[in-house]
Amino acid sequence: MKPVVTGNPAEVRVSVIGTGYLGATHAAALASLGHQVVGIDSNPERIGLLRQGRAPFHEPGLDDLLAAGVRRGTLTFATEARAAADAEVHFLCVGTPQQAGSHAADLSALHAAVDALAPVLERPSLVVGKSTVPVGTAPALRDRLRAQAPVGEGAGLAWNPEFLREGHAVEDSLHPDRLVFGVESDHDDQTLRSVYAPIVAAGTPVVRTDLATAELAKVSANVMLAARISLVNVLAEVCEATGADVADLRRILGLDARIGDRFLEPGLGFGGGCLPKDTRAFAARAEELGLGAPVTVIREVDTLNMRQRSRTIDLAVELLGGRPDGKRIAVLGAAFKAGSDDVRDSPALDVAATLRARGAEVHLYDPRAGANAARVVPGLRVADSVDEALRDAELVLVLTEWDEFRGLDPVALLDVVRTPSVLDGRLVLDPDKWRAAGWRFRALGRAA
Ligand SMILES: NC(=O)c1ccc[n+]([C@@H]2O[C@H](COP(=O)([O-])OP(=O)(O)OC[C@H]3O[C@@H](n4cnc5c(N)ncnc54)[C@H](O)[C@@H]3O)[C@@H](O)[C@H]2O)c1
């Protein structure tokens, strides 16, 4: 028996399993499209906040979207999988982090989600993976699902990878560049088209494909983006060594229509909950498939990226006269990128934590991610403002590209710090302006 979308064709009963950055946004977005949505998460604190219509993390517009769905009664939340029993479509949005001690993806949360969902399914329904997974995961999950579901063959499995960017998650969910439907039947394709009907009607390109291609879509996009960043960082290092102007070079490259100017920012490199682990998981999976030789380049992308962090630390130590211990330093930025409070694998926080471990007294300010930083790295002093972080500092490091930091006034800050020395890890400051104000200025990609 095939899964059937019933009732008002515009309204589908949907469950979203895992309500983190991806799932909470997806659940709120689907409720706003007119569906009846239940979000399920094993973390009761997260569910408690979501039930009040509050996002457990910073994401522009998400609180409003959640609150509207909760108020209308079309968006509910639960900690138990059985709350999903009646849904027609189930989206799997749990985490797929890097495995401890390996570069491969840890699929245990996906397995646990399927094992909890399968026995409670009351109707033939479609289970749709949205988490980012290694190619080959979906058929195994489909078999696992069918082996345990009372509805057996009636449980279909599709893959619908998610491309949202943190900091733009709501906008990207409601107005995506493309929708990818990895499906095994016309029926499953139609089911996904019903769920996304308003987005499809708005002209969003839909790529219908097989499961393997859909699984590969997201990791491939992240591998391409990661490679771009590491490559531009190689170019920046050559600029640094030769005195060429990295900002001009970036502009020249960006004006080439074949290259484009997005995702072309040199600096401290990429981080977050997706790019690093997806790049590693892609390489690990390719090696399992016997493709170790061609993916050497992907390993190199990761190595080059991590090198940006060690280069930043080395430069900071040099600016501190070779001895970071006992030195008071200000770190501006903890989030892995501007617009987010996410500090997972954050290059900024990694640098701050390493300098702290080497004895520096680190005063950190981030417009959104201070609390998360303090939780992850005990011993950091988290400030409430730029001025508080910079007070009596012997070195200032700018490590996340928040707009607030671009507009800093180097003249006014001379009175705040002890030593006017700054390291721009994100190329957001104007070197001429800072040098003219009397600062010792260094930046990755720029000559001393
Ligand atoms: N964050 C992003 O920007 C983004 C974008 C696209 C795709 N993705 C992918 O989406 C997936 C989720 O990422 P995220 O950033 O939302 O992670 P996250 O850690 O913020 O959220 C995962 C959630 O799943 C919950 N969970 C774990 N096991 C569960 C279970 N068995 N049952 C119910 N809930 C469970 C956790 O409590 C957590 O709330 C990953 O595969 C990621 O690669 C993330």
Side-chain angles (χ1 to χ4, degrees):
M1 197 173 19
K2 282 288 175 189
V4 181
V5 173
T6 56
N8 175 353
E11 182 188 313
V12 181
R13 285 193 303 282
V14 174
S15 87
V16 175
I17 301 169
T19 55
Y21 284 89
L22 164 61
T25 312
H26 189 58
L30 291 186
S32 81
L33 295 182
H35 302 306
Q36 185 68 43
V37 182
V38 57
I40 293 170
D41 201 289
S42 48
N43 179 336
E45 281 168 31
R46 190 155 270 198
I47 289 299
L49 283 170
L50 290 165
R51 279 183 174 146
Q52 298 167 37
R54 290 166 56 199
F57 42 81
H58 170 70
E59 195 56 62
L62 184 55
D63 278 316
D64 289 346
L65 211 62
L66 284 167
V70 169
R71 208 170 34 243
R72 271 196 316 272
T74 56
L75 181 58
T76 57
F77 292 96
T79 51
E80 298 298 330
R82 64 174 172 274
D86 188 37
E88 298 146 303
V89 181
H90 306 271
F91 286 97
L92 301 175
C93 297
V94 298
T96 49
Q98 186 177 330
Q99 268 178 36
S102 152
H103 277 185
D106 177 352
L107 302 179
S108 58
L110 268 179
H111 294 158
V114 165
D115 293 352
L117 177 67
V120 303
L121 291 179
E122 286 174 0
R123 59 173 68 242
S125 47
L126 182 63
V127 176
V128 184
K130 274 193 99 57
S131 303
T132 306
V133 292
V135 59
T137 302
L141 278 185
R142 178 198 54 213
D143 297 346
R144 193 176 182 114
L145 175 75
R146 288 186 179 163
Q148 301 178 77
V151 290
E153 288 298 306
L157 191 116
W159 217 264
N160 166 222
E162 177 59 54
F163 300 95
L164 68 80
R165 298 161 300 160
E166 285 180 26
H168 305 267
V170 169
E171 171 69 15
D172 288 350
S173 295
L174 293 173
H175 307 282
D177 293 337
R178 72 291 208 196
L179 289 167
V180 175
F181 297 163
V183 289
E184 295 188 304
S185 70
D186 289 345
H187 190 278
D188 293 352
D189 179 52
Q190 285 308 319
T191 301
L192 283 172
R193 283 175 190 271
S194 323
V195 172
Y196 288 106
I199 296 176
V200 176
T204 307
V206 178
V207 182
R208 175 183 167 167
T209 185
D210 52 77
L211 291 176
T213 309
E215 290 172 310
L216 267 175
K218 177 61 197 242
V219 274
S220 303
N222 278 352
V223 163
M224 295 289 290
L225 293 170
R228 223 171 127 86
I229 292 288
S230 281
L231 209 51
V232 80
N233 278 332
V234 170
L235 302 177
E237 199 169 336
V238 176
C239 287
E240 193 176 320
T242 58
D245 189 308
V246 66
D248 285 350
L249 182 66
R250 182 186 171 276
R251 177 140 193 270
I252 294 160
L253 290 173
L255 287 168
D256 185 326
R258 296 167 303 174
I259 299 173
D261 66 354
R262 293 173 68 189
F263 238 77
L264 201 64
E265 284 88 22
L268 183 49
F270 58 82
C274 291
L275 248 61
K277 60 108 176 152
D278 289 348
T279 305
R280 291 172 197 148
F282 177 82
R285 180 69 182 125
E287 277 166 8
E288 275 172 23
L289 293 166
L291 302 171
V295 293
T296 327
V297 63
I298 310 296
R299 292 255 181 253
E300 204 51 41
V301 163
D302 183 29
T303 306
L304 283 167
N305 187 55
M306 298 308 286
R307 187 163 167 277
Q308 294 302 96
R309 302 183 191 187
S310 48
R311 289 185 68 227
T312 303
I313 292 159
D314 291 348
L315 190 51
V317 171
E318 182 193 322
L319 288 167
L320 290 167
R323 300 281 314 256
D325 47 305
K327 301 275 172 59
R328 180 172 174 143
I329 65 173
V331 169
L332 298 182
F336 82 98
K337 67 170 183 178
S340 174
D341 63 355
D342 194 348
V343 297
R344 286 178 292 183
D345 204 346
S346 164
L349 194 55
D350 204 355
V351 169
T354 305
L355 289 171
R356 151 103 189 111
R358 291 177 66 174
E361 184 184 316
V362 179
H363 293 252
L364 177 144
Y365 169 71
D366 186 288
R368 294 283 176 185
N372 284 344
R375 223 179 351 262
V376 176
V377 185
L380 291 178
R381 318 270 176 103
V382 176
D384 289 329
S385 66
V386 168
D387 275 22
E388 188 186 326
L390 262 63
R391 179 102 28 232
D392 295 329
E394 293 174 68
L395 174 66
V396 178
L397 295 100
V398 180
L399 302 181
T400 306
E401 67 283 13
W402 288 100
D403 278 344
E404 184 179 344
F405 305 151
R406 290 179 203 276
L408 291 177
D409 179 353
V411 177
L413 291 175
L414 285 175
D415 291 337
V416 181
V417 297
R418 180 178 306 166
T419 313
S421 179
V422 64
L423 192 174
D424 181 4
R426 291 294 180 187
L427 296 178
V428 292
L429 307 179
D430 178 343
D432 295 340
K433 207 166 125 188
W434 283 72
R435 285 187 177 125
W439 286 73
R440 183 176 185 198
F441 182 96
R442 294 293 299 273
L444 290 182
R446 293 192 188 278

